[in-house]
Amino acid sequence: MSENAVSRRRAIGLAGAGVAGVVGASAVGVSLFTDKSEKSAEPAISDAVAFHGATQAGIVTPAQDRLHFVAFDVLTKDRAELVQMLKDWTAAAARMTAGQDAGPIGATAGILEAPPDDTGEAIGLPPSGLTLTIGFGPSLFRDASGKDRFGLAARKPAALADLPHFPGDTIDPAISAGDICVQACANDPQVAVHAIRNLARIGMGAVSVRWSQLGFGRTSSTSTTQATPRNLFGFKDGTANLKAEETDLLKQHLWVQPGDGPDWMTGGSYAVTRKIRMMIETWDRTSMGEQETIIGRTKGEGAALGQAKEFDEIDLKGLNGAGDPLIPVDAHVRLAHPDTNSGAHLLRRGYNFVDGSDGLGRLNAGLFFIAYQRDPRTHFVPIQTNLARHDAMNEYTRHVSSGLWACPPGVSGPDDFWGRALFA
Amino acid sequence: MRRTPLILSLVAISAVAACGSKSDKSTAAGSAGPITVKASDTACEVARSQLDAGTHVFTIANKGSKVTEFYVYAEGDRVMGEVENITPGLSRELRVELPAGTYQTACKPGMVGNGIRNTLTVAGSAAPLSQDAALAQAVTSYTSYVVSQSEALEQRTGDFVSAVKAGDLAKAKQLYPVARTYYERIEPVAESFGDLDPKIDGREDDATAELPFTGFHKLEKDLWVTKDVSKDGAIADQLQADVKDLVAKAKTEKLTPLQLANGAKELLDEVATSKITGEEERYSHTDLWDFAANVDGSQAAVAALRPALEQRKPELVKQIDTAFTSVDSELAKYRDGDGWKLQNQLTQEQLKGLSDVINALAEPISKIAGVIAEK
């Protein structure tokens, strides 16, 4: 069988670039150890994002518009079978992110009697900025009874400690946690779904899908080249997010550094995922003034209250004419701000979701929150503890799923695979 | 059942059945007369454990209190010969041709599980099969399975129909999943005969003016929901007639190796789409009987193809063996006496466990057709 290395769509060419509404520097190659981010010519949103690199793509990559996130349970008890699946996944991920079919034969080139090694719904679609990012959950290392499932328990990072129960949490275990996650982000939802579907198919028997989530619109910018998008509350989200260009901050807050331990995580990052249901209908009948004081920003411009422009410095100490704080003490931006949280920054990468309606005439909608960080114990946990206790926004949100994932460093080249250093 | 029946070529040739009516050639040297098998509820005493290559006759006497079956298996539970439905007190004969090799005999009191096994060694020389011969043998072996299952289907449907017509609800309910077992084991073949499958196995929501709601599931509904079968005499007779028609057709069906491979996969698709969900047996919830029967049928088709697969892709055979073992042990958790727990007694988590092992099995089995097709 000959390798079908031809892209699903050979030439996107310059025509594609003209359609691009959002163009961004390829920030995939940001090094842990230098302060220079590699910039290439501005790519079109239909272009491929490099799969191989020192860090995984899909973290500081300018946030694509669509998400399909999946959590798997590992079924096999055989470590070698799991490793083989990770190798197969890596090969398929390298192909799909390059805009090729999932398998070496392809969607239509095989014999008629055998099922195709690609499912076909991405035929003719460009790479669409697809990134596939893998993470390992705490339960991969030890099961609920504490059993070391694959001889990995000694390699479990201390930072991968189960998240605590936060006040107000209404977590559904059926759509939480998991042994392995894959985040697929792309600028075409069909390309993202195609990638997850094919990984699930390839992993059949070794893993089983535990839950999955579609996101239809990004709620964060991860690069200064991107405009700040809006969440379903109608507010700009992620103005103060960590960005690919802030290389010093990325070292401090995003990437696991040499010496943090364990070694297999150096160059990786920890992802926290939270499905946050928004009480859309009650929010929509809240006055604009109250909405703005709950968030702490203006709805139109997205400026911090008391400021004029979106990126004007927030003033957490300032008072208004009545002698009250410009930013209320329970406003979301204040409680989430690094200055309120010992300087901790998160790289947020969330997506809006609507899962139909809830049978009570309400949209089942909200934010699928994803945040990457160097250590959740010093970042997400204290920030969320603070928010869960005091945030005025809590009246309009419910956290219904939770996940914590150790995302290893990037795949260096064709001989490397997802999790190689972990299973070494 | 499926709405678009697989059209098989209906070339009528007489199926060569290992347990059928082959001419009575003398048995091989060293074998003196029939080999007696004393089957009881707890034992399976085969008079001899070593034979010479050739054709042998087993006489199985059921001394137990449960209906039993007797099998001779080659490696991977490939059925060399079998007798179904040996009722207590009855004796049946099995004539089977055995080339040199190591086999297992099995009695299955209650007709469930792996059975009571013994090793049987057959001495002599066995030339390796050519690839074409291996495929031809697969068809012969599986055809004999279909014939024996369909004969049992006809008998057990008769028992069930009699109980329905006698108005014995309790007995009919007990016999229902047993009769269905034989249908479900050969479902891909049964589905290939036009309207017979919808008449025998159709659901209420598939019914049309031309094909009204009849067959097993109509009786199931009346047994479990309306609890009144007093007006079902005609339905019961029609079911018996349709099954008889189906059995006659199945016996003359000419199958191809590719159909065996696809059938093995389709049976698992049946499990995934209509058994785990409880869709098939929505009134009786006896879906796990069908589940086990579908898996049995899939295993029989794979076992028949085994020598050919061993030649072409031995690592796939290993993978499939492991996956069948996982299915067996997962399903065994829901054993209830000689039968199974009801589908609606299982939690969502338990059903996902079953779904996971079926998916894990169906994935390698979906590769068989491609392996068989490639020269």
Side-chain angles (χ1 to χ4, degrees):
Chain A
M1 56 181 83
S2 65
E3 179 83 14
N4 174 11
V6 180
S7 174
R8 294 183 301 245
R9 192 166 137 185
R10 280 159 205 264
I12 302 308
L14 295 173
V19 203
V22 180
V23 287
S26 162
V28 196
V30 176
S31 165
L32 295 172
F33 310 108
T34 75
D35 288 335
K36 280 184 73 177
S37 64
E38 297 166 24
K39 292 203 177 191
S40 58
E42 291 187 343
I45 58 166
S46 57
D47 281 355
V49 173
F51 176 72
H52 297 115
T55 59
Q56 288 199 75
I59 300 175
V60 297
T61 305
Q64 302 93 322
D65 284 334
R66 322 288 183 171
L67 169 79
H68 192 183
F69 189 95
V70 64
F72 294 97
D73 290 327
V74 174
L75 299 181
T76 182
K77 295 182 171 64
D78 179 356
R79 178 178 162 130
E81 187 185 351
L82 176 58
V83 168
Q84 185 57 51
M85 185 207 71
L86 289 167
K87 289 178 179 172
D88 294 345
W89 268 7
T90 309
R95 281 193 287 261
M96 291 190 288
T97 52
Q100 297 164 12
D101 286 336
I105 299 172
T108 58
I111 59 169
L112 292 175
E113 292 82 357
D117 69 6
D118 180 280
T119 52
E121 71 273 29
I123 293 173
L125 299 177
S128 308
L130 174 68
T131 55
L132 293 165
T133 313
I134 196 168
F136 302 114
S139 53
L140 182 70
F141 299 83
R142 285 187 191 279
D143 67 16
S145 67
K147 188 178 163 222
D148 182 359
R149 297 170 67 189
F150 298 102
L152 300 172
R155 292 173 172 236
K156 183 181 173 187
L160 202 65
D162 287 332
L163 296 177
H165 173 89
F166 298 102
D169 272 2
T170 51
I171 302 300
D172 177 359
I175 51 168
S176 295
D179 298 330
I180 302 179
C181 76
V182 179
Q183 169 197 284
C185 296
N187 292 309
D188 182 330
Q190 181 120 331
V191 169
V193 168
H194 168 262
I196 294 300
R197 174 179 172 187
N198 278 275
L199 293 180
R201 180 182 58 79
I202 291 165
M204 196 76 74
V207 294
S208 167
V209 172
R210 178 178 174 84
W211 55 272
S212 75
Q213 180 67 48
L214 285 175
F216 67 84
R218 69 181 173 93
T219 63
S220 292
S221 304
T222 53
S223 165
T224 55
T225 61
Q226 293 186 291
T228 310
R230 291 179 187 268
N231 62 31
L232 293 183
F233 283 149
F235 278 77
K236 288 185 182 175
D237 197 336
T239 299
N241 200 19
L242 264 183
K243 304 249 165 55
E245 294 78 5
E246 299 170 321
T247 45
D248 283 342
L249 285 176
L250 297 186
K251 283 209 283 188
Q252 277 180 52
H253 295 288
L254 180 65
W255 302 120
V256 176
Q257 295 295 310
D260 287 0
D263 287 347
W264 67 268
M265 271 299 287
T266 301
S269 190
Y270 296 91
V272 171
T273 56
R274 307 278 287 186
K275 183 173 182 176
I276 305 172
R277 170 90 188 265
M278 290 175 166
M279 305 294 117
I280 298 278
E281 291 77 11
T282 50
W283 176 262
D284 289 350
R285 45 185 183 254
T286 301
S287 73
M288 179 139 92
E290 188 177 343
Q291 289 183 7
E292 290 189 338
T293 51
I294 287 170
I295 302 292
R297 288 187 184 276
T298 62
K299 196 160 187 180
E301 169 64 23
L305 295 182
Q307 312 304 320
K309 304 301 270 178
E310 181 189 351
F311 291 100
D312 287 352
E313 197 64 35
I314 190 169
D315 183 357
L316 292 171
K317 297 198 174 87
L319 303 176
N320 62 19
D324 296 323
L326 280 173
I327 310 287
V329 292
D330 58 357
H332 183 73
V333 282
R334 173 186 291 278
L335 294 167
H337 197 273
D339 289 357
T340 317
N341 295 285
S342 315
H345 287 69
L346 297 172
L347 185 133
R348 282 168 289 151
R349 222 177 190 287
Y351 286 83
N352 295 322
F353 74 85
V354 176
D355 294 350
S357 51
D358 70 356
L360 298 172
R362 308 180 299 195
L363 290 181
N364 184 355
L367 171 70
F368 189 75
F369 171 94
I370 305 173
Y372 288 89
Q373 62 229 277
R374 185 174 166 185
D375 188 338
R377 295 169 300 175
T378 54
H379 286 66
F380 179 78
V381 172
I383 294 171
Q384 181 56 26
T385 302
N386 198 15
L387 286 168
R389 285 188 185 140
H390 306 298
D391 191 354
M393 208 170 77
N394 292 338
E395 190 180 339
Y396 301 94
T397 58
R398 299 285 180 274
H399 287 234
V400 295
S401 107
S402 181
L404 175 63
W405 316 94
C407 305
V411 174
S412 61
D415 295 333
D416 196 4
F417 65 92
W418 274 339
R420 181 187 48 77
L422 169 59
F423 287 91
Chain B
M1 66 153 280
R2 51 195 296 150
R3 286 153 211 258
T4 51
L6 188 71
I7 304 302
L8 301 181
S9 57
L10 296 175
V11 182
I13 65 146
S14 63
V16 183
C19 57
S21 53
K22 287 183 91 176
S23 62
D24 188 8
K25 283 182 187 158
S26 62
T27 52
S31 62
I35 303 146
T36 59
V37 180
K38 265 192 245 170
S40 70
D41 293 350
T42 52
C44 185
E45 295 168 32
V46 182
R48 304 179 58 194
S49 61
Q50 296 197 322
L51 303 171
D52 288 340
T55 300
H56 295 274
V57 178
F58 293 84
T59 307
I60 306 100
N62 186 356
K63 310 282 190 195
S65 64
K66 294 175 179 174
V67 178
T68 195
E69 300 170 341
F70 179 75
Y71 291 80
V72 179
Y73 288 121
E75 197 196 353
D77 283 1
R78 180 159 60 93
V79 179
M80 300 303 290
E82 59 175 317
V83 216
E84 304 275 350
N85 201 30
I86 313 167
T87 47
L90 203 74
S91 272
R92 299 275 299 271
E93 270 199 359
L94 169 65
R95 182 177 302 274
V96 56
E97 188 181 337
L98 296 174
T102 305
Y103 300 88
Q104 287 197 316
T105 54
C107 298
K108 290 192 188 177
M111 302 186 300
V112 290
N114 277 329
I116 303 159
R117 303 262 181 144
N118 287 297
T119 300
L120 180 67
T121 311
V122 176
S125 62
L129 289 170
S130 73
Q131 294 215 351
D132 285 348
L135 289 178
Q137 193 197 61
V139 171
T140 306
S141 160
Y142 185 70
T143 303
S144 101
Y145 176 79
V146 170
V147 168
S148 73
Q149 296 299 317
S150 54
E151 282 170 349
L153 169 66
E154 192 174 347
Q155 289 169 17
R156 304 302 276 183
T157 303
D159 298 345
F160 169 64
V161 159
S162 303
V164 168
K165 291 178 74 176
D168 188 341
L169 263 65
K171 192 173 180 196
K173 285 164 105 165
Q174 190 196 337
L175 293 174
Y176 172 80
V178 178
R180 302 232 356 112
T181 292
Y182 295 100
Y183 193 82
E184 293 289 334
R185 281 182 181 167
I186 56 166
E187 191 156 17
V189 177
E191 280 172 351
S192 62
F193 305 120
D195 281 350
L196 276 176
D197 176 59
K199 283 163 80 179
I200 295 170
D201 196 31
R203 317 289 201 276
E204 188 166 17
D205 26 64
D206 296 321
T208 61
E210 296 77 37
L211 276 176
F213 185 34
T214 60
F216 275 121
H217 293 302
K218 166 69 173 139
L219 297 175
E220 180 202 3
K221 185 179 182 184
D222 288 340
L223 285 168
W224 269 271
V225 180
T226 62
K227 299 183 171 64
D228 176 11
V229 291
S230 61
K231 297 181 190 68
D232 283 338
I235 300 273
D237 286 341
Q238 187 61 48
L239 173 62
Q240 184 70 66
D242 289 339
V243 164
K244 193 176 177 200
D245 193 6
L246 181 133
V247 169
K249 288 191 157 99
K251 283 185 176 175
T252 56
E253 180 69 4
K254 183 173 162 43
L255 296 163
T256 67
L258 211 51
Q259 285 168 335
L260 266 57
N262 288 326
K265 173 192 162 291
E266 284 162 20
L267 281 159
L268 299 179
D269 293 346
E270 282 284 337
V271 174
T273 55
S274 59
K275 278 45 173 213
I276 286 172
T277 56
E279 185 269 331
E280 175 98 36
E281 308 290 359
R282 62 186 73 169
Y283 315 112
S284 63
H285 308 294
T286 55
D287 299 273
L288 290 196
W289 272 263
D290 300 354
F291 185 124
N294 286 159
V295 172
D296 282 350
S298 181
Q299 193 158 21
V302 173
L305 289 165
R306 188 181 187 94
L309 288 173
E310 289 278 14
Q311 287 173 352
R312 289 158 189 245
K313 204 164 185 185
E315 69 275 17
L316 184 63
V317 177
K318 274 202 197 107
Q319 207 185 342
I320 290 171
D321 283 350
T322 309
F324 266 121
T325 307
S326 302
V327 170
D328 288 345
S329 56
E330 191 68 21
L331 189 57
K333 293 178 184 172
Y334 309 111
R335 166 82 72 214
D336 186 6
D338 281 344
W340 303 95
K341 282 207 160 81
L342 299 180
Q343 191 270 355
N344 61 355
Q345 292 174 327
L346 269 58
T347 65
Q348 191 62 30
E349 200 179 335
Q350 290 172 326
L351 291 171
K352 177 158 190 287
L354 288 172
S355 175
D356 283 342
V357 291
I358 286 295
N359 280 337
L361 173 61
E363 184 60 23
I365 282 191
S366 73
K367 298 193 172 110
I368 294 178
V371 172
I372 293 298
E374 290 204 53
K375 291 291 171 193

